[in-house]
């Protein structure tokens, strides 16, 4: 079961106010009299991300609450695995091979064979877990892991400093998002999911390093391009964008508004929530006095 224990929901910067140019994507509303910070994160990192920048630590030190996507410190590894199995298991009478066309199943089989993995170990799991496992394996090969992810480091540092840490979503909710893609968009097939994953692994093999470099530089234009390039080419892309980004952004705005008005807060969520015409900056524009220099 080790294949599944390390799988984390990857869904991808946040809302912003004042961008520190040539630095990590950290924003503040202090110039307009506020006391909140907003941080764009990367879920998986390499050694270059292994140390949390001092600017982020200072921001955490200055607030009362740190808000993240999911507070995994409240969910034990065994519970994470149990929840994952609950949502990712196929009905007892169904196998993975039956959920995919023969050509697509063979492509997935070959992908795993290249890593020395027998696809049969996924026989009783849904295709979206297979797709996440493919991505996880490709990222691990590049030396990326959740321990070096900015989300993980923010949470650890906040807890060490005695800050209150709040998750916007439960682990149950995050895992179930992948079921919703298929359930709410019947035009998207399991074949689409696997083929899209294989295509992105092949054609965007340099994407993790591009994102890490852009994060270090606070280069939001790169993230805008990534958003356009990876979420606008297929039916699956459109469905994933709606479930994993747009819907969550709207839900988060409702949760964040009263907290930001009443407390000193740092919010840290994945980078791609911060870009696009349905991104958090635009959704918050009418509710908060958001400003950003340099034309962004």
């Amino acid at each position: 079961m080790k294949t599944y224990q390390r799988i984390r929901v990857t869904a991808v910067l946040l809302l912003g106010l004042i961008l520190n140019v040539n630095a990590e994507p950290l924003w503040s509303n202090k110039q307009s009299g506020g006391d909140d910070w907003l941080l764009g994160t990367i879920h998986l990192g390499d050694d270059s991300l292994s140390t949390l920048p001092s600017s982020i630590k200072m921001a955490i030190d200055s607030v009362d609450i740190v808000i993240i996507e999911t507070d995994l410190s409240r969910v034990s590894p065994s519970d994470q695995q149990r929840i994952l199995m609950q949502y990712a298991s196929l009905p007892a009478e169904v196998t993975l091979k039956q959920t995919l066309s023969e050509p697509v199943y063979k492509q997935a089989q070959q992908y795993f064979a290249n890593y020395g993995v027998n696809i049969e170990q996924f026989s009783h799991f849904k295709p979206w877990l297979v797709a996440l496992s493919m991505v996880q394996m490709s990222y691990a090969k590049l030396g990326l892991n959740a321990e070096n992810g900015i989300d993980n480091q923010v949470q650890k540092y906040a807890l060490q400093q005695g800050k209150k840490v709040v998750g916007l979503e439960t682990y149950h909710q995050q895992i179930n998002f992948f079921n919703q893609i298929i359930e709410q968009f019947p035009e998207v097939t399991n074949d689409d999911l696997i083929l899209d994953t294989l295509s992105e692994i092949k054609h965007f093999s340099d994407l993790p390093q591009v994102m890490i470099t852009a994060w270090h530089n606070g280069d939001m234009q790169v993230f805008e391009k990534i958003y356009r390039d990876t979420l606008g080419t297929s039916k699956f892309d459109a469905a994933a964008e709606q479930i994993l980004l747009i819907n969550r952004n709207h839900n988060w705005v409702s949760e964040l508004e009263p907290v930001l008005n009443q407390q000193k807060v740092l919010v840290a969520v994945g980078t791609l929530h911060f870009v696009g015409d349905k991104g958090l900056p635009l959704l918050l524009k009418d509710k908060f006095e958001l400003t950003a220099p340099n034309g962004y």
Side-chain angles (χ1 to χ4, degrees):
M1 306 304 288
K2 290 182 180 179
T3 303
Y4 315 117
Q5 291 174 353
R6 301 300 300 169
I7 294 175
R8 297 279 300 277
V9 177
T10 54
V12 208
L13 242 250
L14 128 97
L15 38 100
L17 305 181
I18 298 175
L19 178 61
N20 295 325
V21 180
N22 296 319
E24 60 279 348
L26 179 67
W27 290 259
S28 168
N29 62 353
K30 296 183 185 304
Q31 289 188 9
S32 56
D35 49 21
D36 303 310
W37 295 88
L38 304 130
L39 171 66
T41 68
I42 292 182
H43 300 314
L44 302 174
D46 60 12
D47 289 344
S48 74
L49 290 177
S50 62
T51 302
L52 198 64
S54 58
S55 56
I56 295 176
K57 291 181 178 180
M58 290 174 62
I60 294 172
D61 291 342
S62 71
V63 301
D64 304 314
I65 300 176
V66 173
I67 298 179
I68 56 179
E69 292 187 25
T70 301
D71 182 3
L72 288 177
S73 69
R74 300 177 181 274
V75 189
S76 69
S78 61
D79 281 341
Q80 289 180 40
Q81 183 172 321
R82 177 183 55 78
I83 293 166
L84 185 64
M85 297 304 99
Q86 174 187 341
Y87 287 101
S89 297
L90 287 166
E93 68 279 6
V94 179
T95 65
L96 174 66
K97 194 170 186 177
Q98 293 171 327
T99 69
L100 301 171
S101 66
E102 184 175 355
V104 172
Y105 183 84
K106 287 183 176 179
Q107 288 187 54
Q109 184 178 39
Q110 184 58 55
Y111 181 87
F112 285 113
N114 292 339
Y115 283 87
V117 175
N118 189 336
I119 196 174
E120 286 298 317
Q121 69 177 276
F122 295 95
S123 290
H124 300 293
F125 296 100
K126 296 177 181 178
W128 63 256
L129 183 61
V130 175
L132 284 182
S133 299
M134 290 174 170
V135 173
Q136 183 80 6
M137 290 166 67
S138 70
Y139 282 1
K141 187 177 180 180
L142 296 172
L144 303 174
N145 58 71
E147 289 300 312
N148 287 340
I150 298 302
D151 312 72
N152 178 63
Q153 294 184 66
V154 165
Q155 181 175 13
K156 280 187 174 180
Y157 183 78
L159 292 173
Q160 289 170 359
Q161 302 308 114
K163 302 297 180 179
K164 181 178 180 181
V165 175
V166 176
L168 288 164
E169 298 161 344
T170 66
Y171 191 64
H172 281 273
Q173 288 175 308
Q174 284 207 332
I175 291 298
N176 196 39
F177 287 140
F178 295 96
N179 285 324
Q180 292 176 19
I181 291 174
I182 296 296
E183 293 168 357
Q184 296 185 23
F185 293 85
E187 68 274 18
V188 176
T189 68
N190 288 318
D191 278 2
D192 292 331
L193 192 160
I194 296 297
L195 290 174
D196 187 88
T197 300
L198 288 170
S199 176
E200 292 206 357
I201 290 174
K202 178 180 179 180
H203 295 106
F204 295 97
S205 59
D206 64 338
L207 183 60
Q209 191 54 56
V210 170
M211 292 183 70
I212 289 171
T213 300
W215 190 88
H216 281 301
N217 294 332
D219 192 341
M220 291 303 300
Q221 291 184 346
V222 171
F223 284 108
E224 291 279 4
K225 185 177 187 303
I226 290 170
Y227 191 104
R228 294 193 304 270
D229 290 348
T230 61
L231 286 171
T233 59
S234 70
K235 292 181 292 185
F236 172 76
D237 289 339
E241 179 187 19
Q242 188 67 49
I243 297 296
L244 299 179
L245 293 171
I246 296 174
N247 289 357
R248 295 169 77 199
N249 288 349
H250 282 283
N251 291 337
W252 290 351
V253 166
S254 299
E255 293 188 51
L256 290 172
E257 182 179 4
V259 182
L260 290 169
N261 283 337
Q262 298 171 11
Q263 310 245 17
K264 296 179 181 180
V265 179
L266 180 140
V267 185
V269 302
T271 305
L272 294 186
H273 291 284
F274 206 1
V275 298
D277 60 4
K278 303 290 194 310
L280 286 168
L282 293 179
L283 294 179
L284 286 170
K285 205 168 194 176
D286 294 334
K287 298 177 175 63
F288 299 97
E289 187 178 341
L290 304 185
T291 58
N294 303 319
Y296 184 77

